[in-house]
Amino acid sequence: MPKQRITKEMVVHAAFEIARDSGMEQVMVKTIAGKIGCSVQPIYSYCKNMESLRQDVASQAKRFIQEYISSHIDKNDLFRSTGKAYLQLAEREPHLFKIFILHQRRGISSLDGLYQSEANPKAAEHIAGALGISVPKARQLHMHMLIYTLGIGTVLSVTTPGVPIDEIYRQQETAYQAFLHYTLNQKEGSPNET
């Protein structure tokens, strides 16, 4: 039987599957070799730097999450369904959600900077049009909901046996109504608007 040629793509894929099933802390040369079914030697040729491999895994996780969210949103209720999709992800793929939440974000020194790096630039315009509010108010609402959803999603991803998803959705809807009320009652250009 000819020897199997181990490729970098195989190593990254195996590492991604390990991270998805067991968490990033389980992405080690030995576990990757076991997943592929080879000795550790070929893995070492691609893993001279485990941090680089973990970055490749994080990049693959980000692509997976983008595809997951895109396939789980309702085009008629984009804002709410996107938030729910993130919570579904936290419930169904807790290890990938944690990778997404915990990856290092360099150059961020404010919540606005975080919002700009994480949010779709067209999201606030879409929300403004859907709700009949100004773009600055939509940005404020979106940032509040982004922070809240990622926070409650983190709770969902780390609890065992897990908070029931319906309870999480109710909390998210309560937060949405509170943030919407707050946003609508802010005067245009107030210091709390982002």
Side-chain angles (χ1 to χ4, degrees):
M1 179 190 293
K3 275 179 82 172
Q4 178 184 16
R5 184 178 182 282
I6 306 301
T7 65
K8 181 177 180 181
E9 290 74 27
M10 291 169 69
V11 172
V12 172
H13 179 73
F16 172 78
E17 290 300 322
I18 292 165
R20 184 178 182 185
D21 293 338
S22 306
M24 189 69 93
E25 59 278 1
Q26 296 303 313
V27 175
M28 300 176 280
V29 172
K30 184 178 174 181
T31 54
I32 296 167
K35 182 85 171 168
I36 294 174
C38 67
S39 72
V40 296
Q41 186 56 42
I43 309 305
Y44 277 117
S45 67
Y46 295 112
C47 294
K48 291 178 176 48
N49 179 344
M50 284 301 287
E51 187 55 35
S52 175
L53 176 63
R54 287 190 175 106
Q55 288 299 321
D56 290 342
V57 171
S59 294
Q60 189 164 341
K62 183 177 181 179
R63 285 189 302 276
F64 176 93
I65 290 166
Q66 288 170 337
E67 290 170 12
Y68 183 95
I69 300 302
S70 292
S71 68
H72 286 80
I73 57 175
D74 175 359
K75 303 287 187 214
N76 297 317
D77 190 7
L78 195 60
F79 186 44
R80 278 189 173 116
S81 67
T82 300
K84 281 189 171 185
Y86 275 103
L87 294 179
Q88 288 171 352
L89 176 75
E91 178 189 41
R92 295 177 185 161
E93 300 283 353
H95 296 296
L96 293 182
F97 189 82
K98 285 184 258 185
I99 291 169
F100 168 68
I101 292 298
L102 297 177
H103 82 273
Q104 185 71 37
R105 290 163 172 87
R106 300 197 188 284
I108 304 296
S109 59
S110 68
L111 289 177
D112 187 57
L114 177 65
Y115 177 81
Q116 297 222 14
S117 76
E118 296 294 319
N120 179 326
K122 298 286 184 187
E125 293 171 20
H126 177 79
I127 295 164
L131 297 177
I133 60 176
S134 69
V135 172
K137 284 184 181 280
R139 278 177 50 93
Q140 179 185 33
L141 175 62
H142 191 211
M143 185 170 73
H144 286 312
M145 285 307 299
L146 179 68
I147 292 166
Y148 185 85
T149 297
L150 295 179
I152 201 164
T154 301
V155 169
L156 184 60
S157 73
V158 299
T159 55
T160 304
V163 178
I165 194 72
D166 289 340
E167 183 178 344
I168 296 289
Y169 287 156
R170 283 193 303 275
Q171 272 306 125
Q172 185 185 44
E173 182 62 24
T174 299
Y176 170 73
Q177 292 300 328
F179 287 135
L180 179 61
H181 177 77
Y182 174 80
T183 300
L184 293 176
N185 289 302
Q186 286 291 303
K187 290 187 168 68
E188 289 290 336
S190 74
N192 291 328
E193 263 186 13
T194 55

